[in-house]
């Protein structure tokens, strides 16, 4: 028997929201499918963040930053936040519902690489969302299959903007950051070797993480073993990874190689990746 649904506070229920089923949970939040009278024919998602499980600094910095960024972005390949309601104990975030879960969920279910044609469709959506973000001065900083949600008609939406940033370096218009963040397996080489007081271009780092994500989607393996940090960094610096599956097309191998460029200055951008030869063909 499933757990009973929590009762929504009046500040939330009076807006026409109702929870229908628990669909997931994290360390400090729970996710439900929900309905909303403003969109009577559409299932939405409700992320409920419990403030008692996080510290005040996290609320002020990470949560408020995530909500501010999400509400500033409007694109078909970025998760849409419809409404945010905060009470003294919780935050209720109502957003689009991803019927297909995440790409990471799909990989875990099939336990094998996804086909090139499927990944190509997914990646077009992901890069379209990334290009829009970067053009609007936002970097995601936690690009990985777990944060690629699959909606209706297999439309992929970028989600989880807890590490996202939009502070520009005034001298060059780049998103320069000095904080290590993201998921270790997908981290760009420049973040791993970041020294105290140094900065990196967060947009370029997003593309490296996309390269690791692409590799994982088409090979169901990581390009670098992170168990030995120094060896991992050495391999990242020399682009020493193996495209084990000989069935991968040459143009796909080229895109992976371009994304995993250890030099941020020569690494392919999201805008250039959109027109890459592999993504330009339909087969």
């Amino acid at each position: 028997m499933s757990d009973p649904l929590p009762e929504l506070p009046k500040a939330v229920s009076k807006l026409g929201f109702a929870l229908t089923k628990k669909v997931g949970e994290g360390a400090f939040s729970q996710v439900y499918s929900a309905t909303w009278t403003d969109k009577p024919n559409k299932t939405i998602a409700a992320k409920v963040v419990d403030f008692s499980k996080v510290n005040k600094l996290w609320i002020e910095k990470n949560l408020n930053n995530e909500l501010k960024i999400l509400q500033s972005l409007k694109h078909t390949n970025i998760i849409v936040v419809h409404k945010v309601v905060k009470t003294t104990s919780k935050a209720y975030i109502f957003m689009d519902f991803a019927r297909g879960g995440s790409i990471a969920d799909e990989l875990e279910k099939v336990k094998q690489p996804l086909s090139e044609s499927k990944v190509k469709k997914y990646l077009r959506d992901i890069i379209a969302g990334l290009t829009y973000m970067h053009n609007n001065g936002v970097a995601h900083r936690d690009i990985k299959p777990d944060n690629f949600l699959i909606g209706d008609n297999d439309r992929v939406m970028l989600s989880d903007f807890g590490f996202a940033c939009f502070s520009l370096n005034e001298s060059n218009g780049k998103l320069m950051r000095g904080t290590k963040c993201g998921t270790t397996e997908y981290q760009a080489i420049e973040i791993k070797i970041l020294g105290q007081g140094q900065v990196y271009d967060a947009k370029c780092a997003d593309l490296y993480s996309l390269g690791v994500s692409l590799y994982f989607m088409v090979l169901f393996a990581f390009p670098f073993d992170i168990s030995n940090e120094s060896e991992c960094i050495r391999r990242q610096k020399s682009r020493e990874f193996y495209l084990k599956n000989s069935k991968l097309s040459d143009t796909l191998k080229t895109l992976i190689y371009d994304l995993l460029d250890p030099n941020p200055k020569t690494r392919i951008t999201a805008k250039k990746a959109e027109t890459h030869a592999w993504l330009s063909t339909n087969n």
Side-chain angles (χ1 to χ4, degrees):
M1 185 176 178
S2 59
D3 295 334
L5 294 172
E7 184 178 352
L8 291 175
K10 289 183 179 180
V12 178
S13 60
K14 72 178 184 180
L15 295 174
F17 293 107
L19 305 181
T20 55
K21 183 181 179 181
K22 184 178 178 180
V23 296
E25 64 181 305
F28 43 77
S29 64
Q30 296 184 325
V31 181
Y32 302 86
S33 59
T35 58
W36 186 23
T37 52
D38 279 22
K39 295 183 179 292
N41 299 316
K42 183 176 182 178
T43 298
I44 61 172
K47 181 178 180 180
V48 183
V49 180
D50 187 344
F51 292 159
S52 68
K53 297 181 180 180
V54 296
N55 60 49
K56 186 177 180 181
L57 179 62
W58 184 91
I59 296 171
E60 293 175 351
K61 186 177 179 181
N62 295 71
L63 179 61
N64 291 343
N65 181 65
E66 177 179 4
L67 297 179
K68 185 177 180 181
I69 287 177
L70 274 172
Q71 290 174 312
S72 74
L73 299 173
K74 305 295 179 185
H75 190 275
T76 186
N77 299 119
I78 293 176
I79 197 77
V80 174
V81 172
H82 300 291
K83 187 77 69 174
V84 177
V85 184
K86 291 183 185 178
T87 66
T88 55
S89 61
K90 291 181 175 66
Y92 296 84
I93 308 166
F94 296 93
M95 62 187 79
D96 276 351
F97 183 72
R99 296 182 181 279
S102 70
I103 291 180
D105 293 335
E106 181 175 358
L107 284 161
E108 180 60 29
K109 183 178 180 180
V110 300
K111 295 189 181 302
Q112 63 181 9
L114 303 179
S115 68
E116 274 198 41
S117 58
K118 174 171 280 193
V119 173
K120 185 179 295 188
K121 184 181 185 304
Y122 287 166
L123 202 71
R124 284 175 178 145
D125 286 352
I126 295 164
I127 292 178
L130 260 184
T131 301
Y132 168 81
M133 283 175 52
H134 289 179
N135 286 344
N136 284 274
V138 177
H140 189 280
R141 299 204 297 169
D142 197 18
I143 291 293
K144 58 182 179 179
D146 308 70
N147 294 332
F148 306 151
L149 300 184
I150 306 169
D152 295 338
N153 300 315
D154 282 344
R155 174 171 58 94
V156 177
M157 300 169 287
L158 298 178
S159 69
D160 198 341
F161 285 69
F163 289 125
C165 64
F166 56 163
S167 57
L168 292 174
N169 178 296
E170 294 180 1
S171 64
N172 58 21
K174 292 184 178 180
L175 281 161
M176 306 301 289
R177 304 297 290 184
T179 307
K180 288 188 177 184
C181 64
T183 304
T184 306
E185 289 87 347
Y186 298 91
Q187 249 177 8
I189 174 64
E190 60 267 27
I191 297 178
K192 282 196 173 75
I193 63 174
L194 190 70
Q196 188 173 3
Q198 294 181 326
V199 295
Y200 63 92
D201 187 331
K203 289 189 287 188
C204 291
D206 276 350
L207 271 297
Y208 194 97
S209 299
L210 181 64
V212 179
S213 301
L214 175 58
Y215 189 103
F216 191 78
M217 287 189 281
V218 296
L219 289 172
F220 199 48
F222 288 108
F224 308 105
D225 181 1
I226 66 167
S227 61
N228 184 322
E229 186 177 21
S230 60
E231 177 64 8
C232 176
I233 290 172
R234 185 192 70 77
R235 288 179 177 272
Q236 283 184 285
K237 285 181 176 179
S238 60
R239 256 188 286 198
E240 193 176 317
F241 53 85
Y242 304 100
L243 294 173
K244 298 177 182 179
N245 190 343
S246 61
K247 294 181 180 179
L248 293 184
S249 64
D250 289 340
T251 50
L252 172 54
K253 292 177 183 178
T254 300
L255 178 56
I256 293 172
Y257 195 78
D258 290 345
L259 288 165
L260 295 181
D261 186 344
N263 185 350
K265 293 181 179 179
T266 56
R267 189 177 303 151
I268 193 170
T269 64
K271 187 175 182 179
K272 287 184 178 179
E274 278 190 304
T275 57
H276 189 275
W278 183 66
L279 292 170
S280 299
T281 57
N282 291 321
N283 56 359

